[in-house]
Amino acid sequence: MARGNVDRIHAQLRRMAADFEIRPATRINEARMATELGVSRTPLREALNRLVAEGFLTFQSNHGFFCRALDPQQLLDLYEARAAIECEGLRLAVMRGSDADIASLARFHDETRDEYAGCTDPLRQLAIDEEFHARIMALSGNGELARLLDNINGRIRYVRMIGLKDFYERARAGEGAIAGEGLLTGERMAQDPRAARQSRADHAAILAAIMVRDNDRATALMREHIEWRLADATRAVGLAIYEIHRNSA
C-alpha cells in the first residue's frame, strides 16, 4: 500500500471531518466513501483508523466508523486541554526561544495586526490566530506539544468559525464590536463586557510578556485568552448544529 496514498486520503477525510461535511454522529458508509473518493477500501480504512486515533472519528464494534458528535462537554475538555498545552508550550518558549526567533514572532504580529483587527472573514482570522499560536509553540522546541495543538485546533476549528460568523452578524446588527481590537464607543463597552473584552489586544499583550521573558504574566494572559474564547465556542455549538443541518437539508 502506498504511504502517500493513505496520507492523501487521511488529509482529505480530516478536512471533511473537521468541517463536518460528514454530519455529526453519523455512520460512515465505507463502500460509498471509497467510491466517492475513488480509492480502495484498504487505504481508506487505514486513514479512518488514523482519524479515530486523532479524535476526529469514533469506532463502534459491529457498527463501524462515525463522525464525532458536537458535544458541549467534549468542547470544554478540548479547550481545557488546549489551555494546558499552550501554557506549557509558552513557558518553554519563554525559556528556550532565541532573541532572533522572538523578534520574528513580533514581526509576524506587526505584519498581520491590522488585518486581524479589521478582519470579517472567519477563516482568515482563524488562520492568523492559529499561526500566531503555532509560532509561539514552535519556540518551545517541543514537537509533540506542537502536534497536540494542531490536533486540537482541527477539532475545534469549525465551532470557532461558526462562533466568529455569529459574532460578525451580531456586530453588524449593532450587538457587538468588530472582531480583534475592534472599534467601540465608550457607551457600547460599558453596556457589553464581552465587547469590551473583545477590544483588548490579547496577542499584543502576550507578545509583550514574551519579549521581556515574563513567564508568569505570559502564561496567565494565555490562559485567560483561551478560557475567554470558550464562552463564544460554547454558544456556537448550537449554532453549528443548526448550520450543519441547514446545509445538508
Side-chain angles (χ1 to χ4, degrees):
M1 180 193 315
R3 175 57 48 192
N5 193 35
V6 175
D7 291 343
R8 178 183 61 80
I9 298 167
H10 167 264
Q12 187 171 356
L13 288 175
R14 188 180 191 270
R15 180 193 57 76
M16 292 171 66
D19 293 345
F20 285 107
E21 291 181 22
I22 309 167
R23 288 177 59 176
T26 57
R27 181 177 176 275
I28 294 171
N29 184 315
E30 292 182 52
R32 183 184 303 161
M33 183 69 72
T35 300
E36 289 177 355
L37 298 181
V39 300
S40 63
R41 293 281 292 276
T42 301
L44 174 65
R45 179 164 279 259
E46 182 170 341
L48 291 171
N49 278 316
R50 194 188 300 181
L51 289 167
V52 171
E54 294 172 349
F56 287 89
L57 304 177
T58 61
F59 180 79
Q60 299 177 23
S61 297
N62 302 319
H63 294 285
F65 296 93
F66 292 77
C67 189
R68 73 195 192 282
L70 265 173
D71 180 357
Q73 181 57 52
Q74 184 182 59
L75 186 71
L76 173 61
D77 292 346
L78 286 169
Y79 265 80
E80 288 178 348
R82 181 188 171 200
I85 290 165
E86 292 222 48
C87 287
E88 177 59 15
L90 180 56
R91 184 185 71 82
L92 294 174
V94 171
M95 291 171 53
R96 297 174 178 174
S98 68
D99 290 345
D101 287 340
I102 292 174
S104 178
L105 174 67
R107 284 194 298 274
F108 171 80
H109 174 264
D110 290 345
E111 290 166 0
T112 58
R113 178 178 54 197
D114 290 344
E115 181 184 6
Y116 183 79
C119 189
T120 55
D121 177 354
L123 285 175
R124 179 56 184 158
Q125 192 183 42
L126 281 177
I128 296 172
D129 180 78
E130 288 182 2
E131 179 67 16
F132 179 77
H133 286 260
R135 284 172 178 253
I136 292 174
M137 188 61 75
L139 296 182
S140 75
N142 189 308
E144 290 301 322
L145 287 176
R147 277 186 282 276
L148 288 170
L149 178 60
D150 180 67
N151 174 274
I152 289 175
N153 280 338
R155 292 162 70 187
I156 65 177
R157 185 175 295 121
Y158 184 81
V159 171
R160 291 188 66 197
M161 182 186 69
I162 295 297
L164 281 171
K165 285 175 63 177
D166 173 61
F167 181 68
Y168 295 142
E169 288 169 4
R170 286 186 287 135
R172 284 192 291 269
E175 294 182 26
I178 298 300
E181 295 173 9
L183 297 176
L184 296 167
T185 65
E187 179 183 3
R188 186 71 202 141
M189 292 174 68
Q191 292 175 349
D192 187 352
R194 182 189 177 285
R197 182 66 179 80
Q198 178 76 8
S199 71
R200 290 176 51 186
D202 285 6
H203 287 182
I206 292 169
L207 175 62
I210 293 172
M211 293 182 73
V212 296
R213 299 188 186 270
D214 186 339
N215 223 322
D216 289 343
R217 176 164 174 74
T219 302
L221 286 168
M222 179 66 80
R223 185 172 296 279
E224 182 183 4
H225 175 63
I226 294 170
E227 290 178 350
W228 174 70
R229 292 288 184 185
L230 177 60
D232 277 345
T234 302
R235 167 186 165 85
V237 170
L239 295 170
I241 293 171
Y242 169 76
E243 184 84 4
I244 290 165
H245 284 277
R246 185 184 68 174
N247 290 340
S248 60

